[in-house]
Amino acid sequence: MGIMELFRVLKPLRRRMFINRALDCILWGLCIGGAVGVIVATAALFVPVAFALNKVFLCIGISFFAALVAAVFMFPDYKAVAVQGDKLGLKERLVTALELKDDNSPIARIQRFDAVKAARSINFKKAYPFYVDRKKLFGALGLFMAIALIFFIPSDQREIARQKERIKKAIDEQVVQVKKEQEKLSQNRELTLKEREELNEQLKELLKELKKSKNEQDAVKAIARMQHKLDEIKQNSMDKDLTRLGEMLSRLEETKEIGNALKEGRYDEIREKMDALARKLENMDENEVNQLAEEIEKIARKINENPELAEALQQLAQAMQSGQFSQELANMSTAMSKLAGNAAMHKAMQSLGNALSQARASLASVNSDQLANPILVSNLKGSSQQGETDSSNTGVKGQGSAGIAQGVGQGNSGSDSQGDSGEGEGNGGNGSGTGGSGVGDGTGSGREGSSQGGLAQGNSGKEPGEKKVRNYEEIYASKRIDGADQESYVSGTQRDSGTVEQVQVEDGPVLMGESLPYNEVFEQYRYEAMKSLERSTIPAAMKTLVEEYFSSLE
Amino acid sequence: MNIDGNDIQQFHEVFGKVEQEVSKHIIGQKDVIRQVLISMFAGGNILLEGMPGLGKTQLVKTIGKAMDLGFSRIQFTPDLMPADVIGTNVITRGEDGISRFKFEKGPVFSNIVLADEINRATPKTQSALLEAMQEQTVTVGTSTYKLPQPFFVLATQNPIEMEGTYPLPEAQMDRFLFKLDVGFPSLEELHDIVMLTTTSVESAVEKVTTAEEMLKMRAVARQVPIAKPVMDFALKLVMATHPQYEHSPKITKDYVRYGSSPRGAQSIISAARVRALSEGRYNVSFDDIRYVAFPALRHRIFMNFEGLSEGITSDTVISQIINSMKME
């Protein structure tokens, strides 16, 4: 009787052992998963853990499946089966027989025979029943109940975690959107391979950064960086001469529309504009045409870096003087279109740009929800600042939060309290001013949801762009930067109790402004500052100071 | 010696017959009978300890008769000399009229030697048995004589009346495979003993085996396989009797002065093999080791002063060692 006979006899025991081991292993898995789940659930009481419940389920699931996989590998070998069999009263017959499997001496043969005989005499069903360790089973159940109970314990951190979850979901949605854009891009046959690759590379970079984003700020920054890069690409892809030409042409009354179209990249409109110019030229007298021809010739000389375009302009000027300009206008249009590069590329970039803007708006809206919760406002890192700016000389106090902005103006003396715009501005909120004879000037802006919650901007409030350019810190950019907004004047006389006026403004903060990387709005701010320098009576030295300030920021 | 499958399978049967025959004439003491037989089939000497009159001598005599083995009894006394045990050279005159030394064999030249009350003889006489027990030879002068096979020494000693006795030295104790404690019979057993020994009916002991067969059975017993976990268990058990061994239980470290010698491990394994066969099994089990551990080790463990003063016995130590060990 060989060892195979013994193996055959031991097979039922082996199967039973496997099932018992698997059950035990699974119970272990559930216990470990439950224990980790309890830790996660408890941790979620004290620190914000996003998707805590999902994580708990994940822990339990992973442990369970790991246990299942482990159980598969725990199929007992015959040595273990022999040891177990011996414990059932076989008195080490099986272990000995297994050790003697290659021995063919009389004693080994007799011993094997004895082992097989003894093993056959045992009813493994009775001797080795299926077994579920109750301690482990109840332990696992207890842990699950503990998890459930912990989740019923109220905690502020859970609210914060929920907000984080919303942000994460929003980021994930944007990741999906970016992937869709990537897909669209890869199917866009109008673009050259190089262009596709260039844009695709940028999108990949964006995806990577979005996935790495830990909060909405990171995500918005990543999107802003992408937008910035798109702008750079756009800038590089456009012919600078065309832009310059557009600049120059826009200064002339007759070619203003063509110039603007060139500047703004509306190349598909050029031919139409050229036709319009041709019609205009036909109605012009000879002097005017000659004058225009001279101007165009001057322009042609100025853009001599681009001989093709310069030559086309030169020829146009000559043709205008000779009265044969229709054909040359057409040639000019063709040259411009050619130089304008690939319109499809611009279109694709435009589409991407729109998608990115939407993404940013979407993320920003998540943040505005977050700001609506006072607990979150006080707890969330990176969005917990409450801005309050008090300006004594203008009597402005602006305070805003949760979409409600209040502008309180109080003039302290007739002349000193002069405010130049006097506006309580807060979208979706209230602006109120109390004052004497002066005019309160405040801009309390309910934040649309960025890093500076409830920022109030008074005249002496934070100046934009305080050495943040390099970091591209997000700042709130009001759409009313030029002051074109509702105005509120507070009437009254000096030192009386004044009146209170409340103005219900029309729209929510989100639509009236947005968070932008500083470098994007810097130019606009500088432009506005320069513009106001021109129209205000400011000492020359102060003008220089302001100019130097902006130069230093550059 | 050629051993075949039949010899192996017959062991259990022969062992059973001897046991049964001895049990007919020795009332009770089933465990002692079994352990004496195990020790004899394993080829070891036995030290029987018990009160006088418990049938120790009768047991040895009966076994000798049942196995058809030569039997001699030596009553150890303080004036017993080594020559009285092993024999001596005597001057004899030959037919040619020349006187010569002739070795006159002592009572040790027998298959079974009963050394009664061995602790009453002087150490010199006690040690005369050392060579016989270990080497199964006797040396007188320059001549060495082989003892008849099989050869066993069954010594008895009285645990009381220690005055005027010479406790056996460790070296001699180590030569005994087993030390058996012969206990007092139960009421029923005592009744049977009285009934059996006070009537005129004398029952003869039947011979159920021979010396040759016994030697063959010894050879068979040596072949019984022992699995590695079982062997490890036995060896660790012996190691655990030493207080210096790192895995020894607390009782060993606290109360044991010296643990078992390697002979203890040899004794356990040899005896366990016989015990397995006597149970009709062809492999050694943990149970066998546990069973033989007590008689094989109890005289090999020496307690320290604390152990002696607190009355800790070697059986207690062995029991706790076994309980502390895992069988894997």
Side-chain angles (χ1 to χ4, degrees):
Chain A
M1 191 175 288
I3 194 74
M4 297 313 290
E5 180 63 18
L6 183 65
F7 289 165
R8 202 180 58 73
V9 174
L10 291 180
K11 258 185 188 169
L13 177 62
R14 197 181 186 202
R15 274 198 297 271
R16 287 178 162 266
M17 277 180 75
F18 170 66
I19 291 167
N20 276 354
R21 278 184 181 197
L23 285 173
D24 195 53
C25 197
I26 288 166
L27 283 178
W28 266 119
L30 289 175
C31 284
I32 291 168
V36 177
V38 167
I39 292 167
V40 172
T42 310
L45 290 175
F46 304 106
V47 287
V49 180
F51 304 107
L53 193 62
N54 292 7
K55 280 174 184 163
V56 166
F57 280 125
L58 189 70
C59 290
I60 294 168
I62 287 173
S63 302
F64 178 75
F65 282 108
L68 268 185
V69 172
V72 172
F73 290 102
M74 287 176 101
F75 205 85
D77 57 6
Y78 276 107
K79 192 179 173 188
V81 178
V83 169
Q84 183 57 54
D86 285 337
K87 283 180 187 166
L88 302 178
L90 292 179
K91 302 213 169 191
E92 286 66 62
R93 282 181 172 93
L94 301 178
V95 174
T96 311
L98 213 63
E99 283 188 13
L100 296 176
K101 65 180 176 185
D102 298 322
D103 191 341
N104 212 24
S105 64
I107 186 83
R109 285 201 304 272
I110 292 171
Q111 200 280 328
R112 265 201 298 275
F113 179 80
D114 179 51
V116 172
K117 199 172 130 190
R120 274 192 187 137
S121 69
I122 288 189
N123 182 352
F124 290 121
K125 271 186 191 174
K126 273 189 183 174
Y128 191 77
F130 294 124
Y131 173 71
V132 176
D133 189 337
R134 286 186 185 174
K135 275 184 192 171
K136 285 185 198 130
L137 180 67
F138 289 128
L141 289 175
L143 287 168
F144 294 155
M145 284 181 72
I147 291 168
L149 287 174
I150 290 168
F151 272 100
F152 277 112
I153 299 171
S155 165
D156 292 348
Q157 301 300 320
R158 205 163 280 138
E159 283 303 313
I160 299 168
R162 278 197 196 112
Q163 184 57 32
K164 275 189 167 184
E165 287 168 14
R166 280 195 283 274
I167 290 167
K168 181 79 175 63
K169 273 181 190 166
I171 291 173
D172 289 346
E173 278 169 17
Q174 295 322 311
V175 167
V176 173
Q177 284 301 320
V178 171
K179 280 183 178 167
K180 276 183 189 167
E181 286 299 323
Q182 216 173 4
E183 188 69 23
K184 270 202 290 190
L185 196 66
S186 65
Q187 288 168 358
N188 189 345
R189 295 293 150 211
E190 291 177 0
L191 295 176
T192 64
L193 184 65
K194 197 183 167 192
E195 286 165 349
R196 274 206 302 267
E197 277 177 359
E198 193 175 6
L199 290 175
N200 203 23
E201 199 59 40
Q202 295 304 325
L203 283 176
K204 274 184 190 168
E205 189 69 25
L206 173 64
L207 268 180
K208 210 191 284 177
E209 289 190 19
L210 275 179
K211 282 174 184 170
K212 273 198 292 185
S213 304
K214 287 177 182 165
N215 52 43
E216 85 292 355
Q217 281 188 331
D218 290 348
V220 170
K221 275 185 195 173
I223 292 171
R225 272 197 289 274
M226 174 70 183
Q227 281 182 326
H228 186 66
K229 277 177 188 168
L230 276 182
D231 285 347
E232 278 178 4
I233 294 168
K234 199 172 173 182
Q235 203 65 35
N236 291 337
S237 71
M238 281 171 66
D239 187 29
K240 283 178 183 166
D241 284 339
L242 270 182
T243 316
R244 205 169 142 212
L245 176 63
E247 192 76 41
M248 288 188 280
L249 287 176
S250 62
R251 286 181 196 154
L252 301 174
E253 188 58 41
E254 293 80 3
T255 56
K256 194 175 182 178
E257 285 189 3
I258 299 173
N260 286 340
L262 279 174
K263 273 200 299 184
E264 290 162 19
R266 291 179 275 119
Y267 303 113
D268 47 345
E269 295 174 15
I270 286 173
R271 186 167 287 277
E272 191 189 315
K273 304 283 180 198
M274 284 290 187
D275 291 344
L277 178 62
R279 283 194 296 277
K280 214 184 267 181
L281 285 173
E282 279 169 6
N283 296 331
M284 284 165 72
D285 61 33
E286 197 175 335
N287 278 344
E288 285 173 331
V289 172
N290 285 341
Q291 209 175 340
L292 182 60
E294 274 172 29
E295 291 293 330
I296 288 174
E297 211 169 346
K298 277 182 200 169
I299 293 170
R301 281 197 293 275
K302 279 182 188 169
I303 57 161
N304 54 4
E305 298 92 346
N306 191 328
E308 194 183 348
L309 191 59
E311 194 185 338
L313 282 170
Q314 201 81 0
Q315 283 174 3
L316 175 65
Q318 285 169 10
M320 280 167 75
Q321 283 166 343
S322 64
Q324 303 293 318
F325 45 77
S326 294
Q327 182 57 40
E328 288 308 323
L329 276 173
N331 290 346
M332 186 71 208
S333 171
T334 310
M336 284 177 183
S337 294
K338 195 178 167 189
L339 286 168
N342 192 346
M345 175 73 166
H346 293 287
K347 207 172 159 186
M349 285 200 292
Q350 191 72 32
S351 163
L352 272 179
N354 289 341
L356 293 176
S357 296
Q358 277 176 11
R360 205 153 67 177
S362 169
L363 285 170
S365 71
V366 173
N367 206 13
S368 71
D369 292 347
Q370 162 191 314
L371 286 165
N373 188 331
I375 297 167
L376 299 177
V377 169
S378 64
N379 283 308
L380 267 179
K381 194 181 171 186
S383 55
S384 62
Q385 301 166 12
Q386 273 198 322
E388 184 175 298
T389 309
D390 199 346
S391 176
S392 61
N393 65 338
T394 55
V396 171
K397 187 170 185 181
Q399 190 174 37
S401 70
I404 295 173
Q406 286 185 326
V408 179
Q410 186 170 29
N412 52 4
S413 73
S415 59
D416 288 348
S417 63
Q418 183 183 353
D420 59 356
S421 64
E423 54 187 20
E425 149 182 315
N427 294 306
N430 299 315
S432 65
T434 307
S437 59
V439 176
D441 176 42
T443 305
S445 300
R447 286 281 290 119
E448 50 76 39
S450 174
S451 59
Q452 291 172 321
L455 178 70
Q457 293 177 330
N459 282 352
S460 62
K462 267 192 181 177
E463 285 293 342
E466 288 177 278
K467 306 210 177 211
K468 299 278 185 180
V469 178
R470 283 169 198 274
N471 297 329
Y472 301 114
E473 191 61 42
E474 291 279 312
I475 62 155
Y476 176 70
S478 168
K479 287 195 174 172
R480 295 178 299 277
I481 194 164
D482 54 355
D485 207 339
Q486 292 177 10
E487 291 184 348
S488 169
Y489 295 98
V490 183
S491 61
T493 57
Q494 190 178 356
R495 293 192 188 86
D496 68 4
S497 57
T499 59
V500 175
E501 183 187 1
Q502 288 196 337
V503 180
Q504 185 70 42
V505 292
E506 293 161 358
D507 222 337
V510 178
L511 299 175
M512 297 307 287
E514 59 182 332
S515 288
L516 290 170
Y518 184 74
N519 67 320
E520 289 188 12
V521 294
F522 169 71
E523 272 303 322
Q524 196 189 352
Y525 282 148
R526 193 171 69 91
Y527 176 72
E528 292 294 338
M530 294 304 148
K531 214 161 74 174
S532 63
L533 280 181
E534 282 168 16
R535 62 175 184 237
S536 309
T537 48
I538 298 171
M542 295 309 290
K543 280 187 182 179
T544 316
L545 189 70
V546 173
E547 280 166 2
E548 278 175 1
Y549 169 71
F550 279 102
S551 303
S552 70
L553 292 180
E554 277 181 308
Chain B
M1 192 175 289
N2 289 330
I3 296 163
D4 55 25
N6 282 339
D7 296 327
I8 297 164
Q9 284 164 327
Q10 276 174 4
F11 187 103
H12 174 56
E13 193 184 332
V14 174
F15 189 94
K17 275 184 189 171
V18 177
E19 193 177 14
Q20 202 175 3
E21 187 59 32
V22 175
S23 298
K24 279 182 193 167
H25 302 276
I26 304 295
I27 308 299
Q29 311 289 4
K30 287 198 182 305
D31 241 15
V32 174
I33 294 169
R34 172 161 273 254
Q35 285 172 353
V36 167
L37 289 176
I38 286 171
S39 178
M40 289 176 78
F41 280 99
N45 307 295
I46 303 153
L47 179 62
L48 294 159
E49 193 172 87
M51 304 287 278
L54 291 179
K56 296 187 289 285
T57 309
Q58 185 62 28
L59 169 70
V60 177
K61 271 188 193 173
T62 312
I63 288 173
K65 282 180 187 169
M67 290 185 173
D68 193 21
L69 298 173
F71 170 78
S72 63
R73 174 184 170 172
I74 309 165
Q75 183 65 46
F76 278 58
T77 54
D79 58 352
L80 189 76
M81 298 305 287
D84 299 331
V85 177
I86 59 175
T88 186
N89 286 321
V90 294
I91 300 172
T92 56
R93 193 180 294 274
E95 288 177 2
D96 53 2
I98 299 169
S99 296
R100 292 188 184 85
F101 279 110
K102 186 190 169 195
F103 180 66
E104 192 63 34
K105 291 178 180 176
V108 78
F109 283 83
S110 182
N111 294 116
I112 300 174
V113 176
L114 174 63
D116 220 356
E117 294 192 272
I118 192 170
N119 56 340
R120 295 207 173 272
T122 58
K124 188 178 176 183
T125 310
Q126 287 173 0
S127 58
L129 275 176
L130 277 177
E131 188 189 353
M133 289 166 74
Q134 186 63 34
E135 311 298 332
Q136 310 211 331
T137 57
V138 166
T139 303
V140 178
T142 54
S143 303
T144 300
Y145 305 93
K146 276 192 173 178
L147 294 170
Q149 292 298 316
F151 175 80
F152 315 97
V153 173
L154 283 91
T156 66
Q157 66 177 14
N158 191 341
I160 56 167
E161 293 180 39
M162 299 302 285
E163 202 175 330
T165 61
Y166 302 91
L168 289 171
E170 283 81 3
Q172 183 134 12
M173 292 283 268
D174 203 26
R175 260 90 178 161
F176 289 104
L177 189 90
F178 277 1
K179 180 188 175 191
L180 304 176
D181 289 328
V182 184
F184 200 82
S186 66
L187 185 66
E188 281 181 15
E189 286 167 352
L190 187 60
H191 174 265
D192 291 344
I193 290 167
V194 172
M195 289 303 290
L196 189 73
T197 52
T198 55
T199 56
S200 55
V201 182
E202 268 192 33
S203 56
V205 179
E206 192 187 335
K207 292 173 189 170
V208 288
T209 185
T210 62
E212 266 184 25
E213 196 169 18
M214 187 168 186
L215 288 173
K216 198 176 244 183
M217 285 169 75
R218 264 198 202 175
V220 167
R222 284 173 183 274
Q223 291 189 0
V224 173
I226 176 164
K228 193 174 176 301
V230 183
M231 175 70 90
D232 288 347
F233 177 71
L235 302 184
K236 283 177 187 166
L237 174 58
V238 172
M239 291 299 290
T241 61
H242 292 265
Q244 299 84 3
Y245 182 57
E246 56 182 327
H247 301 301
S248 294
K250 191 171 180 296
I251 192 166
T252 307
K253 292 186 193 289
D254 289 350
Y255 299 116
V256 175
R257 185 158 55 110
Y258 300 118
S260 166
S261 71
R263 280 199 189 100
Q266 291 168 347
S267 305
I268 288 175
I269 298 299
S270 309
R273 285 183 157 131
V274 176
R275 204 257 179 173
L277 282 175
S278 72
E279 299 271 309
R281 229 178 322 107
Y282 303 95
N283 62 281
V284 179
S285 72
F286 290 117
D287 272 356
D288 298 328
I289 303 290
R290 276 195 291 261
Y291 182 80
V292 300
F294 289 92
L297 293 179
R298 64 164 64 105
H299 56 294
R300 292 184 165 96
I301 295 172
F302 300 94
M303 314 308 290
N304 59 18
F305 177 76
E306 286 80 11
L308 292 170
S309 61
E310 289 186 29
I312 305 289
T313 63
S314 49
D315 277 14
T316 313
V317 175
I318 296 163
S319 172
Q320 289 205 17
I321 290 172
I322 289 172
N323 290 339
S324 70
M325 287 177 72
K326 286 180 182 173
M327 285 161 289
E328 290 165 345

